[in-house]
Amino acid sequence: EDAFSNGALCQCGGERETHDSVATGDYFGAAIVTKWDSRQHSSEYPTDAFGELEFSGAGYRHSYFLRLSCDTSPQIIYPLMTTHWGLPSPNLVVSVVGDEGHEKIKPWVKDILRKGLVRAAQSTGAWILTGGLREGVSRCVGDAVRDHKAATSAVSQNKVVAIGVAPWGRVYNRQQLVNAQGSFPARYYVQNTTKDTCCLDNSCQAFLLVDNGSVGKRGGETAFQANLEDYISHQRTGSGSIEIPVLCMLISGEASMLERLDTSLKKGTPWLVLAGSGPAADFIGDLLGDLSAGILSPTSLVADAEAIMGVSVEFCDRVREKVRKYFSAEAGLEKLVDTALSIYQRRDLITIFKGKQEGPDDFDTVLLKALVRASKRVSSKASEYIEELRLAVAWNRVDIAKAELFNGEIQWKYDDLEESMTDALINNKPQFVRLFCENGLNILNYLTNERLETLYRSLSDSSLAYILLQRRLSDRKSLVGSLPSVSRLLQDLLGDVCEPFYYQALRLDPRMGSRRTLKQVNRILQEECTYRNQRCPSPWAALFIWAVLQNRAEMAIFFWEKEPVLGALGACTILRELSKLESETETKLAMKQLAQRFENLANDVFGECYQSTESHSFTLLIRKSLVWGGATCLQMATAADARLFFSNDGVQSLLSQIWWGDMERNTEVWKLILAFFMPPLIYTNLIKFRSVLSCLCRAVSVVLGFVATVIFDLNFGTNSKRPFIVSRWRQFWYAPVTSFLGNVLMYFLFLCLFAYVLLVDFKPPPPEGPSFLEFVLYFWVFTLVCEEIRQTFFGGSLFLFQRIKKYIQDNWNKCDLTAILLFLLALMCRIFPSSFNFGRALMAIDYMVFTLRLIHIFAINKQLGPKIIILGKMVKDVFFFLFFLGVWLMAYGVAHQALLYSYDPRPNWIFRRVYYRPYLHIFGQIPINEMDADKLQESDCTYNHTEIEAGAEPCLSTYANWIVVILLVIYLLFTNIVLVNLLIAMFSYTFSKVQEHSDIYWKFQRYNLIVEYHSRPCLAPPFIIFSHLHILIKRHIRQIPSVKSQHFGEKSLKGRKASCLNTWEAVQKENLLSAQNKKLRESDTARLQRTSVKVDSVLKQMAEIRDHDRRLRVLETQLDYCCSALSWMTEALSQSNVVSTSRPPPLHKGDMKELKCHGCLLQILHMQ
């Protein structure tokens, strides 16, 4: 029993009446029990308080809580918090301990917690362990966490997790939490507390309510919290690279806190002490700050008893004096002295922070440095700092790493940075990646094929790239992330733009089919994978693609080194293809934004290159990249749909050069038409040609990757000299503009012939027809079919299926294919008398398709080209409009038919009256005589169902005729006003959207048109048949390679030429980035940020000046007192006979009168 409560209370703090008889009775035999012990005098039962906690009126989300015994193993509690409660695994645990009484916390300590502790916890993803009650230091921590949640986003809030470890006996209204079945949730009402209890803090996300049997007393949770800290310190972070660091933070505190501090130090837990915050913290700061550092060795690992035995008596006395100074009222002085000596023995684990002088701005850095400095040793070997580096990487604090680990004092080796580099890559920490690359890590040696596969296996399970890799290996999930699967994924995303990636490492032939390739890959994976030990041939590009697939912008920008223009376009292609497959809206938007960013970078870098050197920039566009599978910039830009890149002046300049060939670009069109019909004029001065050889222009144009076959392609080398007649002939007829002009003129002639045959000369079936002109039309269409076959099956080096797929992807090719198929079907039908009329109808429809194909030629015109895009988008808008219109037509038409005709089973009339008539109503064709009962006309009709089924006209129903009129008014109001205006608004939006970027759209269309006519023979149908025969004989029978193919191979730069071009391109990229950074630094936002930093610095300096001024005033007051005392002593000694002097005491001239006055005053006082 408690002696101070007259037997009413037990020493545990509870009432004796509430205890069971087993606790109050004498069951201890003859032993006299004078002190209550939790382990001996309490029993454990299954917990009856757990679940979720809802603070009434607080408006916060539910918190988790659990009542547990003080002896509960942390091995059970920690998995419960991370797995069952779903708390994120911490990268750091900060345990805040200190004064939990009702004493007032100093204001600067609150600033430290609010501006320093919470900010550091957010930057590292830390747990903050507090007392969990609304008192003392725990209340200040709770207020700081609450202010942080109110001022930040939800993402930042989740990074700061506050966990309250509170004694169950001190929780106010704890009976509200008791429920043996669990509370989900338990409503907790915060009210005025008593002296021995306190309310829970609603800023904590979880509460561990430790019960040791006591009521209204502190200290029961101390042992459990220390064990929990020690257990967490042996667990690993979420990334698994390091053990979770734990740091205890001491604020104020009483004498009992020294034992808590000593216990944690023996377990190797570092501490951060806020000197000046209270008795215990001040004592530790004084103990470690003023005493000599040489008395004890900071690295001594001797046991406590042996260490204390070796301490000098003088040092013990000094420690004893400090204990008396700070804890004069405490009993057990010698025990406190022994504890202090033990703490001093492990002072290397303690960091003293003088927050009153240093301020809260640097606290987050000090907090993180405390863990690093706790285990730092005096050595310049980097291997002893690996754990500290892992800590910095886990916290993503590159500033700490630069200040403490990469300051030039440590010699880092490649092996030391290898594991941390992998950790930084996997956890998306590009600043550390850059830091490692700048301090000894060679990316060429680092990235092997095996490590690249490791990076791909580390992809998040929810990422789109990982899901796509799984789809490719549905039967072999263990191979996700292998190079074959990555190569297949990139092939699906990039298409036929480039050859498959990593085939050289896998020793695969790109010309093999898919089945053979799959068999070869399976054979490689079943055997010993020797390719994994090889270095990646292009590590920068491989890591760049890896970062792009994960939509990591900053990481991708860092690895955007090799071939910047082509790399940016490749990233744009990958991201836009991924965005089409992504289902989440936010991720899709982020991918589109990053793709647009890379397109802008490609455009800006190439613009910088074009301004620097035009010839080099042209080579940059048309060279084949070995890194990107033989792709060129123009091919990759086409795959990426990079309209902005094609609108660049440099790209358009090259396209103009290709379009006009060797002719001057300002040549009038009428001169070309005149020379087209009168070829001898090309040998006059009517058309001006450039002085360069035509072979040079063709060499440039062929490197675009197009296939061109022309008639009269003589077998001359690139450097052979041709006669003037042949050379000028080739210069004119081989130019794409000439081919375009010839095709347009001949196509107009084809349409005229088609129209004439269809309207005038379409003879009956054989033997009377067809006519001669109709046979000419058939032959013409045959040459068109031959050209389409050439484009499909004899273009490029792709496989047959890939060629067909590429051909069908073009919308105009679909139009050509439709026209040809309709023509063939019409031809077969017109031969037979039974289907002659149907064939003629198909011919008429087919003529419409051939005529609409003529729209494609308008793309070359700057004004009409964008209108084609607008027309195509408006057609899509019409389909959406027709959907709404069809719904409204059906709703009105069915109601209209049902109300006017009670019975009419004829299907053709039902369709006409349900859809056709309501559609005509929109245009004003309204049969009033059928709808208005007053204007009904007599007609021969019947109500007999049998007669109606036989074909008689049914009579109109006049029962609900007035409803039909109302429905008509509503229908016309909705269709003619609402829907039509909706369509107009959609058209206006589409027009304004495209017209705003009309120049970009036109330049992209112009590129596609140049591509098409560059690949065509110079002769137009029907004469193109001669070009086809020439190609068949020369290329496939005589096996004579094309000169353009030789030029194409020469543009695959290697060796010194490729190195010089890459260096020049990299220099232009750096120049661009430097200019952009300079522009960014000169922006108003950057200036405002710099001004804000300067203002903060000035305010800090002003605060220091005010502090210095205050100190100077105090010093001045003390000096005045000293001067007065010295004056008094001087006067007293001068009047006494103790000291005899030959001269008077010296006097300051300025103070002579003042001293005389002081002397007179002292003399008077002495006489009195």
Side-chain angles (χ1 to χ4, degrees):
E1 66 180 36
D2 187 358
F4 298 98
S5 61
N6 296 325
L9 298 178
C10 175
Q11 289 186 8
C12 69
E15 297 179 358
R16 287 174 54 84
E17 297 177 355
T18 61
H19 289 349
D20 296 335
S21 59
V22 67
T24 57
D26 188 6
Y27 288 91
F28 299 98
I32 301 176
V33 180
T34 60
K35 185 177 181 181
W36 179 82
D37 189 352
S38 173
R39 296 183 179 180
Q40 297 181 9
H41 305 141
S42 61
S43 302
E44 291 187 358
Y45 294 93
T47 182
D48 58 355
F50 62 94
E52 297 179 0
L53 189 63
E54 178 184 358
F55 288 90
S56 178
Y60 288 89
R61 60 184 178 182
H62 295 175
S63 301
Y64 302 99
F65 74 96
L66 172 66
R67 179 185 180 185
L68 55 110
S69 170
C70 60
D71 297 330
T72 304
S73 173
Q75 190 174 359
I76 302 174
I77 302 303
Y78 181 74
L80 171 71
M81 293 190 292
T82 56
T83 304
H84 185 70
W85 288 353
L87 300 181
S89 299
N91 292 324
L92 170 67
V93 175
V94 180
S95 180
V96 182
V97 297
D99 188 10
E100 298 296 345
H102 297 281
E103 296 182 4
K104 186 177 181 181
I105 304 299
K106 298 180 180 180
W108 66 268
V109 176
K110 296 181 180 179
D111 292 339
I112 291 293
L113 296 175
R114 185 175 63 256
K115 299 179 181 179
L117 174 63
V118 176
R119 183 170 58 185
Q122 177 187 348
S123 65
T124 58
W127 283 5
I128 301 179
L129 300 183
T130 69
L133 302 177
R134 297 285 295 169
E135 63 175 354
V137 176
S138 299
R139 179 168 187 166
C140 296
V141 176
D143 293 340
V145 174
R146 191 179 302 106
D147 294 342
H148 168 75
K149 291 183 178 180
T152 56
S153 61
V155 178
S156 299
Q157 292 178 14
N158 295 332
K159 293 182 178 180
V160 180
V161 179
I163 300 175
V165 183
W168 169 261
R170 282 189 49 77
V171 177
Y172 182 73
N173 282 342
R174 54 185 175 274
Q175 296 303 322
Q176 298 178 8
L177 310 179
V178 176
N179 186 350
Q181 304 300 324
S183 303
F184 302 95
R187 295 185 62 86
Y188 186 77
Y189 296 91
V190 179
Q191 301 175 0
N192 295 328
T193 60
T194 62
K195 179 180 179 181
D196 296 330
T197 59
C198 189
C199 292
L200 295 175
D201 194 335
N202 56 14
S203 63
C204 295
Q205 291 182 236
F207 293 94
L208 299 177
L209 307 178
V210 183
D211 188 4
N212 67 338
S214 63
V215 178
K217 294 185 178 182
R218 303 186 185 93
E221 78 287 355
T222 303
F224 170 79
Q225 185 170 351
N227 294 332
L228 179 64
E229 294 165 359
D230 181 63
Y231 177 79
I232 294 178
S233 65
H234 292 86
Q235 308 305 308
R236 305 193 75 83
T237 58
S239 60
S241 59
I242 61 171
E243 293 183 345
I244 300 175
V246 177
L247 176 69
C248 294
M249 181 176 169
L250 177 60
I251 301 176
S252 186
E254 301 174 352
S256 59
M257 194 57 61
L258 297 181
E259 184 178 357
R260 166 83 163 86
L261 174 62
D262 184 41
T263 303
S264 296
L265 289 177
K266 291 178 180 178
K267 296 180 180 181
T269 304
W271 279 73
L272 180 66
V273 178
L274 265 64
S277 59
D282 295 347
F283 170 74
I284 298 299
D286 196 4
L287 177 68
L288 302 185
D290 295 341
L291 296 181
S292 174
I295 299 178
L296 288 178
S297 173
T299 58
S300 177
L301 299 177
V302 187
D304 294 5
E306 297 180 358
I308 296 175
M309 290 290 294
V311 177
S312 64
V313 178
E314 180 182 0
F315 181 76
C316 291
D317 293 339
R318 296 173 61 184
V319 173
R320 190 175 290 105
E321 291 177 2
K322 293 185 178 297
V323 171
R324 288 197 187 98
K325 175 182 177 182
Y326 289 96
F327 309 108
S328 57
E330 294 290 337
L333 179 64
E334 293 301 324
K335 184 178 179 180
L336 290 177
V337 172
D338 295 341
T339 304
L341 292 174
S342 178
I343 293 173
Y344 189 85
Q345 182 70 21
R346 297 170 179 81
R347 63 185 182 277
D348 55 328
L349 296 175
I350 301 176
T351 300
I352 303 299
F353 179 72
K354 300 179 180 180
K356 194 172 183 180
Q357 287 79 23
E358 300 181 29
D361 296 334
D362 302 328
F363 178 76
D364 56 343
T365 305
V366 173
L367 181 67
L368 299 179
K369 286 182 179 180
L371 286 167
V372 176
R373 290 176 177 173
S375 57
K376 181 178 287 189
R377 296 170 177 82
V378 182
S379 174
S380 60
K381 295 182 180 180
S383 59
E384 300 185 11
Y385 291 87
I386 293 179
E387 289 298 325
E388 289 81 354
L389 178 60
R390 292 174 181 173
L391 285 175
V393 173
W395 302 331
N396 198 20
R397 290 303 300 267
V398 70
D399 53 341
I400 303 296
K402 288 181 178 179
E404 296 293 326
L405 303 173
F406 293 91
N407 51 12
E409 299 178 359
I410 306 173
Q411 300 297 326
W412 291 100
K413 298 180 181 179
Y414 168 77
D415 297 336
D416 302 327
L417 303 177
E418 188 176 6
E419 184 177 351
S420 297
M421 177 69 171
T422 304
D423 189 14
L425 286 171
I426 293 175
N427 294 286
N428 192 21
K429 297 171 182 177
Q431 294 180 346
F432 273 99
V433 174
R434 183 185 300 273
L435 183 65
F436 296 151
C437 292
E438 294 174 352
N439 290 272
L441 189 140
N442 187 355
I443 203 71
L444 298 175
N445 298 329
Y446 168 77
L447 191 65
T448 60
N449 293 329
E450 183 179 5
R451 184 166 283 116
L452 182 61
E453 290 184 346
T454 302
L455 293 177
Y456 275 104
R457 291 192 185 98
S458 67
L459 297 180
S460 174
D461 296 345
S462 59
S463 65
L464 178 61
Y466 186 84
I467 296 174
L468 295 177
L469 288 173
Q470 276 191 325
R471 290 178 183 175
R472 285 300 170 192
L473 295 171
S474 57
D475 54 338
R476 304 182 69 178
K477 297 292 185 181
S478 60
L479 298 180
V480 174
S482 61
L483 282 189
S485 63
V486 175
S487 176
R488 185 64 183 274
L489 173 60
L490 294 177
Q491 187 176 1
D492 294 340
L493 295 175
L494 295 175
D496 306 325
V497 180
C498 56
E499 295 179 355
F501 283 79
Y502 311 120
Y503 267 37
Q504 183 178 1
L506 298 171
R507 297 180 181 178
L508 297 176
D509 188 0
R511 295 172 295 180
M512 288 193 306
S514 300
R515 293 183 178 179
R516 291 180 57 191
T517 302
L518 185 59
K519 292 180 180 179
Q520 186 70 15
V521 167
N522 291 334
R523 190 180 302 111
I524 293 174
L525 295 177
Q526 290 175 0
E527 299 174 356
E528 184 178 359
C529 301
T530 57
Y531 72 90
R532 292 178 177 172
N533 299 326
Q534 301 174 3
R535 294 180 182 177
C536 186
S538 302
W540 289 94
L543 291 175
F544 173 71
I545 294 174
W546 173 79
V548 168
L549 286 174
Q550 299 180 83
N551 197 28
R552 294 181 175 181
E554 192 174 353
M555 186 76 76
I557 292 295
F558 173 73
F559 288 115
W560 178 54
E561 289 288 339
K562 301 298 182 182
E563 301 182 4
V565 177
L566 183 57
L569 292 174
C572 182
T573 305
I574 294 173
L575 288 168
R576 284 178 176 165
E577 291 298 325
L578 287 175
S579 65
K580 297 176 184 178
L581 304 174
E582 182 60 56
S583 57
E584 296 184 4
T585 306
E586 293 184 1
T587 307
K588 177 181 291 189
L589 181 60
M591 288 181 177
K592 290 182 178 180
Q593 291 176 349
L594 185 56
Q596 187 60 45
R597 180 180 178 183
F598 273 114
E599 183 180 352
N600 295 337
L601 287 173
N603 180 58
D604 295 340
V605 173
F606 182 74
E608 191 76 16
C609 295
Y610 180 68
Q611 293 178 2
S612 175
T613 307
E614 180 178 346
S615 60
H616 288 180
S617 63
F618 288 169
T619 307
L620 192 66
L621 286 176
I622 61 182
R623 66 101 181 260
K624 294 176 62 177
S625 171
L626 299 178
V627 176
W628 287 87
T632 65
C633 289
L634 292 179
Q635 291 174 344
M636 192 66 74
T638 305
D641 195 22
R643 294 185 174 91
L644 180 63
F645 181 77
F646 282 109
S647 66
N648 190 286
D649 293 338
V651 178
Q652 291 300 311
S653 178
L654 176 63
L655 295 179
S656 298
Q657 179 179 337
I658 298 170
W659 178 249
W660 288 98
D662 288 338
M663 293 181 288
E664 293 291 340
R665 300 181 186 179
N666 56 356
T667 304
E668 290 82 356
V669 178
W670 67 269
K671 294 182 180 180
L672 295 177
I673 298 176
L674 188 62
F676 184 82
F677 289 103
M678 301 179 65
L681 292 179
I682 65 177
Y683 298 102
T684 65
N685 293 328
L686 178 67
I687 299 177
K688 295 182 180 180
F689 293 85
R690 296 198 303 268
S691 58
V692 296
L693 296 176
S694 60
C695 60
L696 178 61
C697 178
R698 294 198 312 277
V700 172
S701 59
V702 170
V703 181
L704 294 172
F706 316 142
V707 174
T709 53
V710 292
I711 194 171
F712 304 128
D713 187 8
L714 302 179
N715 188 19
F716 293 121
T718 57
N719 297 325
S720 61
K721 295 183 179 180
R722 298 184 178 92
F724 173 76
I725 297 177
V726 178
S727 176
R728 181 57 59 87
W729 182 270
R730 294 172 62 89
Q731 286 177 340
F732 177 77
W733 289 104
Y734 287 4
V737 64
T738 308
S739 177
F740 171 76
L741 184 60
N743 279 273
V744 170
L745 294 176
M746 297 306 294
Y747 198 79
F748 272 109
L749 185 60
F750 165 75
L751 292 178
C752 293
L753 176 63
F754 200 164
Y756 179 80
V757 170
L758 189 62
L759 298 176
V760 178
D761 201 17
F762 200 79
K763 300 295 183 181
E768 299 181 13
S771 64
F772 174 76
L773 290 180
E774 192 171 350
F775 276 114
V776 174
L777 178 64
Y778 295 161
F779 177 75
W780 204 317
V781 174
F782 172 73
T783 59
L784 293 176
V785 173
C786 292
E787 174 59 20
E788 298 301 323
I789 292 175
R790 186 199 64 82
Q791 293 180 16
T792 306
F793 298 99
F794 299 96
S797 59
L798 303 176
F799 296 104
L800 179 61
F801 176 76
Q802 295 174 340
R803 295 173 187 172
I804 296 175
K805 181 180 178 182
K806 183 178 180 181
Y807 173 83
I808 297 178
Q809 285 178 349
D810 186 81
N811 292 327
W812 293 113
N813 287 337
K814 295 176 183 177
C815 182
D816 292 336
L817 189 61
T818 303
I820 291 172
L821 292 177
L822 284 176
F823 191 88
L824 294 177
L825 181 61
L827 177 61
M828 289 187 295
C829 292
R830 70 99 56 217
I831 295 176
F832 305 100
S834 59
S835 59
F836 173 78
N837 292 328
F838 180 72
R840 191 173 184 277
L842 286 179
M843 282 283 187
I845 297 174
D846 191 36
Y847 179 80
M848 292 181 58
V849 179
F850 273 113
T851 306
L852 292 176
R853 181 66 172 83
L854 195 64
I855 297 176
H856 180 48
I857 68 172
F858 298 148
I860 199 64
N861 187 273
K862 188 174 183 179
Q863 301 299 327
L864 296 178
K867 303 302 185 293
I868 299 176
I869 302 293
I870 295 174
L871 184 62
K873 293 183 178 294
M874 285 184 175
V875 171
K876 297 179 181 179
D877 294 339
V878 168
F879 279 107
F880 288 105
F881 169 78
L882 291 178
F883 170 76
F884 291 110
L885 181 62
V887 172
W888 192 246
L889 280 175
M890 184 175 180
Y892 171 73
V894 172
H896 177 271
Q897 171 74 5
L899 292 172
L900 288 181
Y901 298 94
S902 59
Y903 182 75
D904 188 1
R906 296 173 295 178
N908 55 340
W909 281 98
I910 290 177
F911 178 80
R912 181 179 298 178
R913 289 171 180 154
V914 170
Y915 288 102
Y916 181 60
R917 278 193 177 183
Y919 180 74
L920 295 180
H921 290 174
I922 300 175
F923 303 98
Q925 297 185 14
I926 304 173
I928 300 297
N929 56 344
E930 296 183 5
M931 297 184 176
D932 195 346
D934 297 335
K935 296 183 179 182
L936 289 177
Q937 298 177 359
E938 295 183 1
S939 60
D940 187 11
C941 61
T942 180
Y943 290 100
N944 192 325
H945 291 186
T946 304
E947 295 179 358
I948 293 174
E949 292 176 355
E953 180 70 19
C955 294
L956 295 173
S957 175
T958 59
Y959 172 75
N961 188 266
W962 60 276
I963 300 179
V964 175
V965 177
I966 296 176
L967 291 179
L968 176 65
V969 173
I970 298 174
Y971 169 73
L972 293 178
L973 178 67
F974 189 83
T975 54
N976 287 13
I977 297 179
V978 178
L979 287 182
V980 173
N981 281 278
L982 173 64
L983 182 62
I984 295 173
M986 294 169 64
F987 284 170
S988 300
Y989 172 76
T990 301
F991 180 84
S992 60
K993 184 179 179 180
V994 177
Q995 190 68 21
E996 183 180 358
H997 306 285
S998 60
D999 186 65
I1000 297 177
Y1001 281 101
W1002 170 72
K1003 289 179 178 178
F1004 184 69
Q1005 276 189 324
R1006 178 173 179 260
Y1007 165 77
N1008 292 326
L1009 193 69
I1010 293 175
V1011 169
E1012 179 182 352
Y1013 285 96
H1014 178 275
S1015 63
R1016 286 194 175 191
C1018 61
L1019 295 182
F1023 306 106
I1024 198 174
I1025 191 66
F1026 299 108
S1027 296
H1028 293 160
L1029 293 175
H1030 173 75
I1031 294 171
L1032 180 63
I1033 296 172
K1034 186 175 182 180
R1035 301 285 181 257
H1036 300 281
I1037 298 179
R1038 299 179 60 188
Q1039 297 293 326
I1040 299 176
S1042 174
V1043 177
K1044 293 183 177 182
S1045 300
Q1046 296 177 3
H1047 293 159
F1048 179 81
E1050 290 176 358
K1051 285 298 178 180
S1052 298
L1053 300 181
K1054 297 180 181 179
R1056 185 173 178 274
K1057 293 183 179 180
S1059 178
C1060 292
L1061 185 63
N1062 291 335
T1063 303
W1064 173 77
E1065 185 183 5
V1067 170
Q1068 305 307 318
K1069 186 202 80 169
E1070 294 300 329
N1071 292 339
L1072 173 69
L1073 295 180
S1074 299
Q1076 290 181 348
N1077 292 334
K1078 182 179 179 181
K1079 186 177 180 180
L1080 183 63
R1081 289 194 301 268
E1082 294 177 355
S1083 63
D1084 295 339
T1085 303
R1087 290 180 178 179
L1088 208 59
Q1089 291 178 351
R1090 291 195 297 269
T1091 303
S1092 176
V1093 172
K1094 292 179 180 179
V1095 169
D1096 292 340
S1097 177
V1098 170
L1099 292 176
K1100 188 175 181 180
Q1101 292 178 1
M1102 291 181 64
E1104 294 177 356
I1105 291 174
R1106 286 195 295 267
D1107 185 59
H1108 292 163
D1109 183 64
R1110 180 184 58 80
R1111 294 181 181 181
L1112 287 175
R1113 290 179 180 177
V1114 174
L1115 183 61
E1116 184 179 359
T1117 304
Q1118 294 175 352
L1119 286 175
D1120 290 342
Y1121 171 76
C1122 293
C1123 290
S1124 301
L1126 288 173
S1127 299
W1128 180 80
M1129 292 173 60
T1130 304
E1131 186 69 23
L1133 290 174
S1134 63
Q1135 296 180 2
S1136 66
N1137 297 325
V1138 178
V1139 180
S1140 59
T1141 59
S1142 58
R1143 58 186 181 86
L1147 297 175
H1148 192 274
K1149 294 182 179 180
D1151 298 336
M1152 188 176 295
K1153 295 181 180 180
E1154 186 178 355
L1155 290 176
K1156 288 183 178 180
C1157 295
H1158 282 294
C1160 295
L1161 181 59
L1162 292 172
Q1163 185 176 3
I1164 294 172
L1165 292 174
H1166 181 68
M1167 291 174 64
Q1168 292 178 354

